[in-house]
Each structure stands twice: as C-alpha cells, then as structure tokens.
Amino acid sequence: MEDAMNIGQAARATGISAKMIRYYEDNGLIGPVARTASGYRVYGPRDIHALGFIKRSRDMGFSVERIAGLLQLWRDRSRHSADVKRMALEHVAVLQQRIAELQDMVGTVQALADCCAGDERPDCPILSDIATGAPLHRPAAKGVAQGKRGRMRAGQKRVNND
C-alpha cells in the first residue's frame, strides 16, 4: 500500500487524535482498517478521506450518531439529497436550541455577577445562587428592551407605560 499511513501519521494528517481514530473505528464510523503483520493499523487514502469527513462533521457539532447517518448517505450514490437536507435542518434546530440555552446561561451568570459587590466581604450572591439553586429575579436594565425569553436586548429601549 503506497499511500498507507500508521495511526500517528493519520492523526497528524487529519487533526484527529489517535485515541479518537480508534474510537471512530470501534464505533463503526470507519470500517476495520488494514493491519500489518504485527497488528498495527494501516490507513489508506479512503480511510483518511473518511476521517476528514468525520472531523468536519464534528467541527459542525454533529453527534457521532448523526455522523454515522451522514457517512451512510455520503457513501450511498443513490441517496436523495432531501434526506441529507432533512438531517442538516434537524441539526440546525438542535444548534438553535443550544444557542438559546447558552444565551439563558449568559443572562443568568451576568445577572449574578451584576448583583455581586466583588469586594472584600464574604457574602456572594453567585455562590448563594449556585448553592441553593433558587432562580434569580433579574430586573430589566434601563435603556434595553426585553426579548422573547424576557431578557433585555441591547439597543432596544424599554417602554414605560406608567
């Protein structure tokens, strides 16, 4: 095999650690690779290409399970692009949900930090909130309007109906 690589070379070529390459092989994302007489893995161009596909998919946040589905579609020359698009749009929904959750976390942590004096006193609302799990009531900031989740968005003004 002229273009064959050992696992270390494959790891360097793809940017995937040797441990993760073995994990992907163990989980069926790449087929059983060829082995030398002494049992070392040998990766050919097709294996390296598949590992690149896996890495790019992981970089986009796809789960290992979803990557398995994408690989199956990629290898199926009679696939329907509608199937690929459906998977992509499902993933977009997952990413949007994660973004919303992260935005909520940012709002909570920022509100806690805003309530903390940050001085030499031992009282800390951040630690108290984490310890009790009690939700913090976040008052709206001046000059900022509330978004869909009740958070204020920068650049929007609060309307005072008093």
Side-chain angles (χ1 to χ4, degrees):
M1 215 177 198
E2 187 177 304
D3 296 326
M5 296 183 189
N6 65 32
I7 197 164
Q9 293 166 324
R12 283 188 294 282
T14 62
I16 301 172
S17 70
K19 182 178 180 178
M20 287 307 295
I21 291 173
R22 285 189 290 274
Y23 172 82
Y24 295 146
E25 184 180 352
D26 291 344
N27 285 281
L29 293 183
I30 59 173
V33 295
R35 296 205 179 236
T36 64
S38 55
Y40 291 105
R41 291 172 169 88
V42 179
Y43 298 87
R46 293 180 76 167
D47 300 315
I48 300 303
H49 194 68
L51 287 167
F53 184 97
I54 293 166
K55 174 144 181 28
R56 178 92 168 112
S57 299
R58 289 297 288 165
D59 290 347
M60 289 185 203
F62 283 98
S63 67
V64 170
E65 295 78 21
R66 290 287 181 158
I67 294 171
L70 288 170
L71 280 166
Q72 187 176 10
L73 288 167
W74 181 50
R75 291 172 178 145
D76 179 4
R77 304 314 262 159
S78 65
R79 69 181 169 260
H80 296 138
S81 65
D83 296 332
V84 182
K85 183 175 182 174
R86 178 187 43 77
M87 286 185 74
L89 292 175
E90 287 170 357
H91 186 59
V92 167
V94 168
L95 292 174
Q96 288 173 331
Q97 178 63 38
R98 272 199 239 158
I99 290 167
E101 290 167 0
L102 288 170
Q103 288 172 331
D104 285 344
M105 286 184 233
V106 167
T108 299
V109 174
Q110 183 65 58
L112 288 169
D114 291 345
C115 292
C116 183
D119 56 18
E120 70 285 344
R121 293 180 293 170
D123 297 335
C124 180
I126 300 168
L127 295 177
S128 296
D129 181 86
I130 293 171
T132 63
L136 176 71
H137 172 67
R138 293 181 284 188
K142 285 187 175 182
V144 182
Q146 289 196 359
K148 291 180 184 176
R149 291 190 170 77
R151 291 187 314 269
M152 306 304 280
R153 289 194 306 234
Q156 293 184 328
K157 295 190 178 185
R158 178 181 238 201
V159 176
N160 190 352
N161 294 330
D162 295 338

